[in-house]
């Protein structure tokens, strides 16, 4: 099997990336995942569209998309640098366990260094022991001083409206 490669996704990757996003949604939401065609349109129009506020690092092997990492650089960060924030790391079921997740994280670390970022941050679900084991094995530092907050759905709309 060939080694994976990575590159930033473009509009031309809408179908392949839409399929990866769909597999990710099915993995997490099962039957509640959006339909594949709706996901491809979302990727084309929103994720890779002109108002996109995220970048997607695409992992490929033998010409096939096998994973992605969605990320953005945020400011401020320590020492007048940026912080690369990983939103999602996903590897297809067929490619899991072959080092693709570590490969994507290392590629993100290289992007962070190239862009002058002083750190690479992400969150992980506490119910995903494989991911947690990977991050621990790679030597990532677990932060205990951070608390993750969220507004979503109706609560987000109510808060935005002043309620």
């Amino acid at each position: 099997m060939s080694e994976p490669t990575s590159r930033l996704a473009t509009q031309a990757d809408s179908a392949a990336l839409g399929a990866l996003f769909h597999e990710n949604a099915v993995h997490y939401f099962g039957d509640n995942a959006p339909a594949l065609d709706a996901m491809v349109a979302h990727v084309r129009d929103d994720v890779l569209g002109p108002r996109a506020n995220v970048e997607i690092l695409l992992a490929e092997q033998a010409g096939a998309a096998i994973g992605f990492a969605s990320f953005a650089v945020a400011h401020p960060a320590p020492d007048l640098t940026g912080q690369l924030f990983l939103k999602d790391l996903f590897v297809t079921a067929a490619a899991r366990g072959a080092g693709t997740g570590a490969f994507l994280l290392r590629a993100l670390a290289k992007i962070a260094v190239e862009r002058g970022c002083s750190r690479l941050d992400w969150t992980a679900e506490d119910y995903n022991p494989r991911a947690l084991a990977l991050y621990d094995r790679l030597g990532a530092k677990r932060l205990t001083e951070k608390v993750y907050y969220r507004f979503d759905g109706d609560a987000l709309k109510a808060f935005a409206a002043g309620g």
Side-chain angles (χ1 to χ4, degrees), residues 2-161:
S2 63
E3 291 294 312
T5 59
S6 67
R7 62 181 177 80
L8 293 176
T10 68
Q11 274 284 326
D13 299 308
S14 293
L17 190 56
L20 285 173
F21 272 42
H22 183 258
E23 185 177 339
N24 181 40
V26 168
H27 176 77
Y28 283 104
F29 307 115
D31 292 339
N32 293 323
L36 175 60
D37 59 339
M39 188 65 79
V40 170
H42 166 66
V43 167
R44 181 191 64 237
D45 299 340
D46 300 323
V47 178
L48 298 175
R51 292 186 47 192
N53 53 9
V54 66
E55 294 180 80
I56 308 294
L57 185 64
L58 188 61
E60 298 173 306
Q61 192 166 43
I66 60 168
F68 72 86
S70 61
F71 70 96
V73 174
H75 295 272
D79 301 321
L80 303 176
T81 65
Q83 153 193 350
L84 193 146
F85 187 81
L86 167 63
K87 165 56 177 90
D88 256 321
L89 178 72
F90 180 76
V91 176
T92 62
R96 285 187 200 129
T100 306
F103 170 80
L104 278 166
L105 279 168
R106 192 166 315 279
L108 281 177
K110 290 176 184 175
I111 290 170
V113 170
E114 289 168 0
R115 294 185 183 185
C117 295
S118 60
R119 62 190 197 196
L120 166 58
D121 288 326
W122 67 95
T123 62
E125 285 86 8
D126 61 1
Y127 57 82
N128 190 341
R130 280 182 76 177
L132 297 174
L134 169 65
Y135 306 147
D136 289 339
R137 196 168 50 251
L138 293 176
K141 188 170 42 172
R142 283 191 187 208
L143 299 180
T144 57
E145 68 271 16
K146 295 284 184 177
V147 177
Y148 193 66
Y149 287 93
R150 172 181 294 150
F151 282 115
D152 62 0
D154 290 340
L156 173 62
K157 292 173 186 170
F159 185 69

